[in-house]
Amino acid sequence: MIKLFESWRKKGSRPAIEAPSGDNIPKHVAIIMDGNGRWARKLGLPRIVGHRNGMKAVKRATIAADELGISVLTLYAFSTENWKRPKDEVDFLMSLPQEFLAIELEELIQKNVQVRMMGHPNELPDHTVAAMEEAIERTKNNTGLILNFALNYGSHREITECVKEIAVRVQNGSIKPEDITQDMIGSGLLTGDLPDPDLLIRTGGELRLSNFMLWQTAYSELWFTDLYWPEFGREQLFAAVAEYQRRTRRYGGLS
Ligand code: IPE
Ligand code: IPE
Ligand code: MG
């Protein structure tokens, strides 16, 4: 079915874009939101302007994911390696959840979105954690799109911590080494009960994972674009999902 979007129809100048439809909508889409700094530099602006405009792309991606009926949208917002950046930039990034949620939380609640956070809260400033916790608490009973922010997230640390917990269970005798299963590892990761990403998108032109969901993306379909994250919107999400729908997932078997 061709779905035209009201705002575009009203403007009349933009081409109508077809929303992917059918049964084959990915359940979990994960996005490495990269390129904020280069977007700003291209326009001669400070990097933080790129991050602020990246927030608008977060909103566009969320609305588009909700329209498509995607169940989980995971957004890589800050990696365990991003602490290496200058303090001013890190401080600014840590203020963005608060800024974003102050503007958007009411609408997220109305849209039945459930906000989650995936990452290590310990090193995050209190105000960042407080903003996230408020959003998580106020949306915890929502049953629509799960909007999962990967904040101070890194796969190496996630896997290491999971392995340590399993080692403790072996040490205290509650399980034996031979009881360790792939499912036990999978469910011990920060994604917990979430399905693995069906589709992984990275903006900004880099062709790498940057320590993002290394276990969970074993069979994800990958989609890259040279566009910078502040340039990302509905059209790109639709294009990525449409491409996903044309792929054949074999999981090592035969199609
Ligand atoms: C993504 O944009 C945001 C974060 C990693 C926090 P960047 O800040 O990495 O932008 P580039 O890659 O330097 O352009
Ligand atoms: C990946 O982007 C992390 C996030 C988008 C949060 P980076 O900009 O940190 O990745 P690298 O350094 O180019 O690999
Ligand atoms: Mg980057």
Side-chain angles (χ1 to χ4, degrees):
M1 192 190 90
I2 295 176
K3 199 169 169 188
L4 296 171
F5 284 88
E6 292 303 327
S7 58
W8 287 25
R9 207 190 277 156
K10 276 185 216 132
K11 282 178 190 145
S13 53
R14 286 170 167 178
I17 72 164
E18 201 172 318
S21 60
D23 300 336
N24 194 17
I25 295 290
K27 282 195 177 62
H28 186 172
V29 175
I31 309 184
I32 302 174
M33 308 184 289
D34 196 25
N36 291 350
R38 281 166 286 158
W39 178 84
R41 193 174 59 202
K42 187 175 77 171
L43 298 175
L45 299 166
R47 290 179 60 83
I48 60 167
V49 179
H51 296 313
R52 181 162 278 130
N53 278 273
M55 268 195 334
K56 297 179 187 160
V58 168
K59 178 165 188 184
R60 291 193 295 270
T62 304
I63 291 172
D66 188 43
E67 282 170 2
L68 287 182
I70 288 165
S71 305
V72 186
L73 179 66
T74 295
L75 300 176
Y76 201 11
F78 192 90
S79 77
T80 47
E81 287 69 40
N82 287 146
W83 299 105
K84 294 174 190 162
R85 296 186 178 200
K87 186 178 180 307
D88 282 359
E89 181 169 345
V90 169
D91 287 349
F92 185 80
L93 287 166
M94 289 299 149
S95 73
L96 282 183
Q98 215 168 345
E99 193 174 319
F100 176 76
L101 291 164
I103 302 165
E104 304 299 345
L105 183 55
E106 294 307 324
E107 194 175 333
L108 293 173
I109 292 169
Q110 274 170 25
K111 283 194 178 300
N112 198 23
V113 172
Q114 186 186 113
V115 177
R116 294 200 194 182
M117 190 191 125
M118 177 176 86
H120 307 281
N122 291 2
E123 297 90 22
L124 295 173
D126 291 346
H127 63 88
T128 310
V129 176
M132 290 308 301
E133 278 178 351
E134 185 196 341
I136 291 164
E137 177 59 27
R138 290 186 61 198
T139 62
K140 69 178 181 206
N141 296 320
N142 287 357
T143 54
L145 173 72
I146 294 175
L147 180 59
N148 184 32
F149 288 99
L151 206 53
N152 196 24
Y153 172 87
S155 260
H156 285 173
R157 179 155 163 198
E158 170 189 44
I159 294 170
T160 305
E161 292 191 359
C162 172
V163 169
K164 278 187 194 160
E165 280 174 25
I166 293 173
V168 169
R169 291 169 67 193
V170 172
Q171 191 180 36
N172 69 24
S174 59
I175 57 167
K176 296 191 180 71
E178 55 270 31
D179 298 331
I180 298 169
T181 61
Q182 289 188 21
D183 282 350
M184 191 183 289
I185 297 172
S187 59
L189 300 176
L190 295 171
T191 27
D193 60 344
L194 296 178
D196 287 341
D198 301 294
L199 173 63
L200 173 74
I201 294 171
R202 181 170 187 148
T203 60
E206 308 293 1
L207 306 180
R208 57 179 169 251
L209 295 178
S210 302
N211 202 14
F212 188 54
M213 297 182 103
L214 300 182
W215 174 280
Q216 298 90 332
T217 55
Y219 273 105
S220 303
E221 294 299 324
L222 310 179
W223 191 87
F224 297 98
T225 173
D226 286 337
L227 286 181
Y228 298 132
W229 177 246
E231 297 165 332
F232 190 90
R234 172 185 279 133
E235 192 177 344
Q236 288 70 39
L237 186 71
F238 285 5
V241 169
E243 163 75 27
Y244 167 85
Q245 292 181 320
R246 290 191 289 272
R247 306 250 182 109
T248 304
R249 303 181 78 183
R250 283 184 288 276
Y251 300 96
L254 301 176
S255 53

